[in-house]
């Protein structure tokens, strides 16, 4: 097996996403959606949402996990490796460069003000990602109720997101089975 242009395309695409997105995994979601769905056509919006969901349930950063899934879908294990390396390489380089200088400049007022501005921009980016995810994920009464319940349990009861994701998956399965059974019974009763 030899390295082809497609592997480098995976690497460069995810390196660009990793280099030009600030604010962590959730802040990368809009750029991932634009690059992977709109520009490259490597996944549909529904597939990308599934990758986000799986990426959230597995250890690690959601954007890195998502890049791994997309790389695997495109070119198997080697594609997953190239996509993952592409996603993490810019961060590794930037973090190493910042670590060398950060302690010398962290207390400067201009740096503190810059971080305040960055935090606000990252919050806006995350809100946009949440809006896009919600538009595709909250589609009927079951998903509305599930969303509200998950949100309340997280915010007010401080339950770990792992339990909520697993619980939501089980409830989603049960709701689908109940819907199917009700449709089957309704069809027989006519």
């Amino acid at each position: 097996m030899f390295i082809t242009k497609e592997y480098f395309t995976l690497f460069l695409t995810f390196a660009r996403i990793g280099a030009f997105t600030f604010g962590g995994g959730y802040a990368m979601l809009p750029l991932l959606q634009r690059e992977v769905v709109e520009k490259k056509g490597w996944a549909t919006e529904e597939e990308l949402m599934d990758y986000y969901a799986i990426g959230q349930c597995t250890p690690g950063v959601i954007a890195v996990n998502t890049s791994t899934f997309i790389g695997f879908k495109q070119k198997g294990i080697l594609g997953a490796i190239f996509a993952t390396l592409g996603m993490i390489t810019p961060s590794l380089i930037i973090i190493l460069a910042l670590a060398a200088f950060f302690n010398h400049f962290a207390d400067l007022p201009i740096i503190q003000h810059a971080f305040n501005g960055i935090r606000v921009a990252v919050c806006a980016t995350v809100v946009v990602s949440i809006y896009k995810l919600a538009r595709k994920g909250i589609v009927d009464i079951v998903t509305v109720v599930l969303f509200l319940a998950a949100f309340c349990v997280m915010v007010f009861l401080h339950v770990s997101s792992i339990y909520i994701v697993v619980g939501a998956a089980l409830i989603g399965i049960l709701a689908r089975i109940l819907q199917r059974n009700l449709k089957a019974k309704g069809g027989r009763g006519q």
Side-chain angles (χ1 to χ4, degrees), residues 70-184:
I70 293 166
F72 185 81
K73 178 185 179 203
Q74 292 304 303
K75 297 299 283 180
I77 291 175
L78 200 53
I81 292 169
F82 271 80
T84 303
L85 287 174
M87 184 64 86
I88 65 172
T89 298
S91 297
L92 183 63
I93 292 169
I94 292 167
I95 288 169
L96 288 174
L98 285 175
F101 299 103
F102 187 73
N103 287 337
H104 301 292
F105 302 108
D107 294 329
L108 293 176
I110 194 164
I111 300 297
Q112 293 299 314
H113 295 308
F115 278 126
N116 289 339
I118 290 169
R119 283 186 206 108
V120 170
V122 168
C123 287
T125 303
V126 171
V127 168
V128 168
S129 296
I130 291 168
Y131 172 73
K132 286 182 177 182
L133 286 170
R135 234 179 45 212
K136 291 289 184 181
I138 303 172
V139 295
D140 58 15
I141 190 67
V142 173
T143 54
V144 168
V145 170
L146 198 52
F147 169 79
L148 292 173
F151 180 81
C152 290
V153 168
M154 279 181 141
V155 170
F156 300 114
L157 301 178
H158 308 289
V159 174
S160 168
S161 60
I162 294 169
Y163 298 122
I164 293 171
V165 169
V166 170
L170 293 174
I171 292 169
I173 291 168
L174 290 173
R176 178 69 176 137
I177 291 169
L178 286 173
Q179 286 174 342
R180 190 178 305 154
N181 288 343
L182 289 174
K183 272 188 181 178

Side-chain angles (χ1 to χ4, degrees), residues 5-18 35 40 42 82-83 86-87 90:
K5 180 182 174 189
E6 290 88 8
Y7 294 108
F8 289 110
T9 300
L10 280 167
F11 179 87
L12 292 175
T13 299
F14 287 105
R16 187 172 48 251
I17 293 168
E35 287 290 324
K40 301 290 185 191
W42 289 340
F82 271 80
M87 184 64 86

